[in-house]
Each structure stands twice: as structure tokens, then as C-alpha cells.
């Protein structure tokens, strides 16, 4: 019997600051190079809820947002060979043209022809419809995930890919480097977990008890930054030397300046991983960078190779994100999901599609 395929999708849409709606659109016919995916989960990223808070209104309305999503392949075009099959679990890669200079170098999040949060699927809506229960995309815009992973864990491919890029740029030395991560939120602990998988010693500096408890449950050394001097604590734990690498995973001026004092005196590296609104500052002059041979590393986005590595790390459980899932909400409660996700101290919140309209707690 031929499977009945959906003709429409329901999707979460941000129509104005603080206002989420669930809307319906017809699904397009599947083209030869496309997949129809029954989307299971989309996690709410900081980018998503900051626009909901009115901090990123430059991204545009109405925003059919969400990009940390995963689902099951329901149908595929005739040009898609055995790379993907019906029943595979997949996660979304950003859309890209494949032939511009950036794409030729694998820098798909910098595609020159497809805007990352543009109107790529609709003349009306911005975004890539991560909060849709069904969606049709090009097969090149997916990576395959293990069906043993929970959907909420599988949805970490996109944020993990950006962490992989960050750590590759930092050139971590397994068994040698001590890494301090400032900020124990989702992305801070994801950086910490991945740095440990790369072989580094990792220390997490944080002020919120809940985040400190989660970091400790994940097996990390921690510094309670409002109970002890975090700079001196790092020096004490590194025999006065300082950290080889500091990853600033919270967008704040105080964190940037702490990093300058935590990192070792010469040949240290600081990753400015997190953006902040308003933009954080950093108190440093070029002579200091020069004489300390200091590396200030900026990172944003991911390459195709980063997405593949992220999928591998999740599939093999080398990176375990199970403790970074806060709660789950059905699509019909997407407003409540955004309230939860934007509450200080929250980890990732999942919007669950194709599920009964009941709130589920995942942690």
C-alpha cells in the first residue's frame, strides 16, 4: 500500500516581538533532489529566543524560524540515491547553493546566494521552517543521525557543528592543553564536552548554581565565579601558569576581560565564541596582543565538514548532550516553550512536532 503523504504543514511563526503563532501552508511537490521529512523536534536556539525578545529584529518578520531540527525521511526524489532512505533520521544543515566561492570551500553558512535566514522557502516568511511538522528540503541540506539518539539529542547537530569549528580553530592539543570555559549554559557546556572529547582538561567557570550543578554532573571541574575570584582560581589550578585556552561562551564585557587575565602570559588563545546584545567590549591594546603573542579567535557558523564531524560525535556518543535538554513542549504550546527557553538558567528547550498536545518534561 502506498503511503499517504501530507499535503500541508503546520509551523511555528514569530510574527512580532513576543508573539508566536502556529500557521499552515501547503507543502510543495518533492523535486528529484529533495526529501520530505516528518520533523520530530526543533530545539530553541539563543538566536531564536533573542528575536522573540526583540533583540534581533534585523532578522525580519514574520520569521518561520528554528534551525536545530531533526526528523524522519518519509519520501525522497528519484535523484536521491542510497545516501538517504525512507525511515532514516536526519538533521538539518543550512541551505546553500553549492557553487559560490564560499560553498566551494565548504563554508555553507556563508553562502553568497542563499541568505541564512532569508525568504528561501516562501515569498512571505523568513527562516527555514524548523518548527514545522513536515517539510521538503534539498537532500544536500541534511546529515544522517543514529535512530538510537533521542530526537532532542539528534537536534544538537547544528550547534555542535559551530563548536567543532571553534575547537578546530583553537588547535587544541590533546593531553596537554587546559581549557577554561566561561559560562556554563548550553553552548558553554557543549564547548566543554567537545573540548574534553578532543583530549583537553576542562574547567567551567559559572555563577548560577543550577548550571554549576549540571557541569559537575557532567564531570567537569568548576569555579563558582561569584564565590571566589575566578582569575585566581584558574591560576591556583594551573600552578600559577594560567589556561592555555579560554573560551568565552557568554556575551559579556566582564567575561571578555576575565579571559585576558585567566589565559597564560604567552602564546595563549582566547575564543570569543558568544555574541552579546548590546555588543560586549574588551579592554586590550595591540601592544599587549603583540608582546604576549596572544591569539584572539572569532568563530561563527560551520562548514560541511563541521556538520559531518558533529553528526559523528553524536552518533558515537563521544559527545553526550543528554543533560543539556531542559524540557519539551508540543507545537501548540510554542509560546510557552519560548518563555521557558528565554528564562535565565534554562538549557535547550525542544518543540515537539507530531505528538499529542501534552507537555512533556525531558530532564
Amino acid at each position: 500500500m502506498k503511503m499517504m503523504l501530507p499535503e500541508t504543514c503546520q509551523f511555528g511563526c514569530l510574527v512580532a516581538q513576543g508573539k508566536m503563532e502556529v500557521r499552515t501552508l501547503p507543502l510543495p511537490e518533492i523535486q528529484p533532489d529533495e526529501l520530505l521529512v516528518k520533523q520530530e523536534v526543533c530545539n530553541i536556539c539563543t538566536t531564536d529566543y533573542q528575536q522573540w525578545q526583540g533583540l534581533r529584529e534585523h532578522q525580519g518578520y514574520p520569521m518561520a524560524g528554528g534551525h536545530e531540527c531533526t526528523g524522519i525521511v518519509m519520501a525522497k526524489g528519484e535523484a536521491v540515491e542510497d545516501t538517504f532512505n525512507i525511515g532514516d533520521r536526519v538533521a538539518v544543515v543550512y541551505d546553500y547553493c553549492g557553487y559560490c566561492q564560499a560553498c566551494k570551500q565548504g563554508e555553507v553558512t556563508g553562502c553568497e546566494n542563499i541568505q541564512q535566514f532569508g525568504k528561501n522557502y516562501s515569498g512571505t516568511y523568513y527562516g527555514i521552517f524548523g518548527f514545522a511538522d513536515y517539510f521538503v528540503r534539498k537532500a544536500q541540506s541534511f546529515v544522517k543521525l543514529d535512530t538510537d539518539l533521542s530526537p532532542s539529542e539528534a537536534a544538537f547537530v547544528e550547534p555542535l557543528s559551530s563548536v567543532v569549528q571553534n575547537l578546530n580553530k583553537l588547535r587544541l592539543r590533546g593531553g596537554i592543553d587546559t581549557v577554561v570555559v566561561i559560562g556554563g549554559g548550553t553552548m558553554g557546556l557543549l564547548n566543554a564536552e567537545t573540548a574534553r572529547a578532543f583530549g583537553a582538561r576542562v574547567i567551567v567557570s559559572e555563577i548560577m548554581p543550577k548550571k554549576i550543578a549540571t557541569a559537575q554532573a557532567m564531570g567537569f571541574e568548576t569555579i563558582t565565579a561569584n564565590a571566589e575570584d575566578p582569575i585566581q582560581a584558574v591560576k591556583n589550578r594551573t600552578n600559577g601558569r594560567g589556561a592555555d585556552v579560554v573560551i568565552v561562551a557568554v556575551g559579556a564585557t566582564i567575561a571578555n576581560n576575565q579571559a585576558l587575565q585567566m589565559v597564560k602570559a604567552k602564546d595563549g588563545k582566547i575564543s570569543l565564541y558568544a555574541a552579546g546584545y548590546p555588543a560586549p567590549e574588551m579592554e586590550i591594546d595591540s601592544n599587549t596582543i603583540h608582546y604576549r603573542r596572544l591569539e584572539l579567535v572569532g568563530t561563527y557558523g560551520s562548514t560541511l565538514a563541521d556538520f559531518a564531524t558533529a553528526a559523528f560525535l553524536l552518533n558515537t556518543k563521544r559527545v553526550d548532550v543528554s543533560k543539556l535538554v531542559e524540557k519539551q513542549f508540543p507545537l501548540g504550546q510554542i509560546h510557552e516553550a519560548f518563555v521557558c527557553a528565554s528564562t535565565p538558567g534554562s538549557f535547550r528547550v525542544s518543540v515537539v512536532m507530531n505528538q499529542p498536545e501534552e507537555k512533556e518534561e525531558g530532564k
Side-chain angles (χ1 to χ4, degrees):
M1 179 183 292
K2 187 175 181 180
M3 180 186 298
M4 292 292 293
L5 299 179
E7 297 180 353
T8 63
C9 71
Q10 289 189 307
F11 62 98
C13 177
L14 180 63
V15 297
Q17 178 183 341
K19 187 176 181 182
M20 293 293 304
E21 293 182 357
V22 177
R23 296 186 173 182
T24 302
L25 275 180
L27 285 170
E29 290 188 11
I30 303 171
Q31 299 303 306
D33 60 347
E34 293 180 331
L35 302 179
L36 168 63
V37 173
K38 179 181 180 179
Q39 298 192 150
E40 300 171 293
V41 155
C42 188
N43 292 342
I44 299 176
C45 174
T46 306
T47 301
D48 298 318
Y49 74 68
Q50 283 185 340
Q51 185 178 4
W52 180 82
Q53 292 174 317
L55 300 175
R56 293 177 180 246
E57 297 201 313
H58 61 277
Q59 293 177 177
Y61 299 109
M63 173 60 72
H67 52 273
E68 297 183 7
C69 45
T70 187
I72 302 296
V73 177
M74 293 188 68
K76 65 180 190 176
E78 61 267 24
V80 182
E81 298 184 346
D82 291 338
T83 306
F84 298 105
N85 291 300
I86 309 303
D88 283 345
R89 173 169 284 140
V90 291
V92 170
V93 176
Y94 286 112
D95 301 303
Y96 61 99
C97 73
Y99 51 81
C100 71
Q101 194 60 38
C103 287
K104 287 177 181 177
Q105 298 172 0
E107 295 282 352
V108 294
T109 50
C111 178
E112 298 163 19
N113 293 308
I114 298 179
Q115 186 181 348
Q116 198 170 36
F117 296 108
K119 293 181 178 180
N120 301 327
Y121 292 100
S122 165
T124 302
Y125 298 98
Y126 294 95
I128 63 172
F129 289 81
F131 299 116
D133 54 0
Y134 297 91
F135 214 68
V136 176
R137 310 180 196 277
K138 290 186 180 297
Q140 70 178 19
S141 295
F142 293 97
V143 290
K144 193 180 296 187
L145 274 298
D146 197 315
T147 53
D148 289 341
L149 288 169
S150 75
S152 291
E153 293 174 54
F156 271 83
V157 166
E158 188 276 337
L160 180 54
S161 71
S162 72
V163 169
V164 169
Q165 182 183 107
N166 183 40
L167 297 186
N168 283 339
K169 292 186 76 172
L170 290 169
R171 309 183 308 281
L172 290 190
R173 300 170 299 170
I176 298 174
D177 282 342
T178 293
V179 175
V180 173
V181 179
I182 301 178
T186 301
M187 298 312 300
L189 293 182
L190 193 55
N191 269 281
E193 178 80 3
T194 311
R196 182 168 60 187
F198 280 29
R201 175 196 178 191
V202 180
I203 303 169
V204 176
S205 178
E206 174 57 54
I207 62 174
M208 294 187 69
K210 175 182 173 181
K211 293 180 179 180
I212 293 169
T214 300
Q216 291 173 344
M218 293 173 71
F220 293 113
E221 299 178 57
T222 60
I223 295 169
T224 304
N226 54 354
E228 58 181 321
D229 179 352
I231 298 160
Q232 189 58 48
V234 170
K235 297 290 178 67
N236 292 344
R237 298 183 190 207
T238 56
N239 296 319
R241 184 167 170 268
D244 299 287
V245 175
V246 180
I247 298 172
V248 184
V250 57
T253 297
I254 188 172
N256 290 346
N257 292 329
Q258 283 178 359
L260 290 170
Q261 298 179 69
M262 287 178 179
V263 76
K264 63 186 180 181
K266 191 165 288 186
D267 294 321
K269 301 170 192 171
I270 297 174
S271 166
L272 300 170
Y273 181 83
Y277 292 85
E281 297 180 352
M282 195 172 198
E283 297 171 7
I284 190 168
D285 58 73
S286 59
N287 280 357
T288 300
I289 298 171
H290 171 77
Y291 286 114
R292 290 180 62 180
R293 301 195 307 218
L294 181 64
E295 290 185 52
L296 302 179
V297 177
T299 183
Y300 173 78
S302 318
T303 66
L304 281 177
D306 296 330
F307 276 100
T309 300
F312 171 79
L313 291 170
L314 289 170
N315 285 335
T316 58
K317 303 296 179 76
R318 284 170 169 79
V319 168
D320 181 1
V321 297
S322 59
K323 289 184 171 58
L324 300 181
V325 180
E326 179 83 14
K327 290 183 180 179
Q328 297 179 330
F329 293 84
L331 179 58
Q333 294 180 10
I334 192 168
H335 175 81
E336 292 85 348
F338 269 75
V339 171
C340 181
S342 61
T343 300
S346 290
F347 293 101
R348 275 302 189 262
V349 172
S350 297
V351 177
V352 181
M353 280 70 74
N354 296 295
Q355 291 290 326
E357 294 293 304
E358 291 181 2
K359 186 186 297 186
E360 299 178 29
E361 298 204 358
K363 192 176 177 188

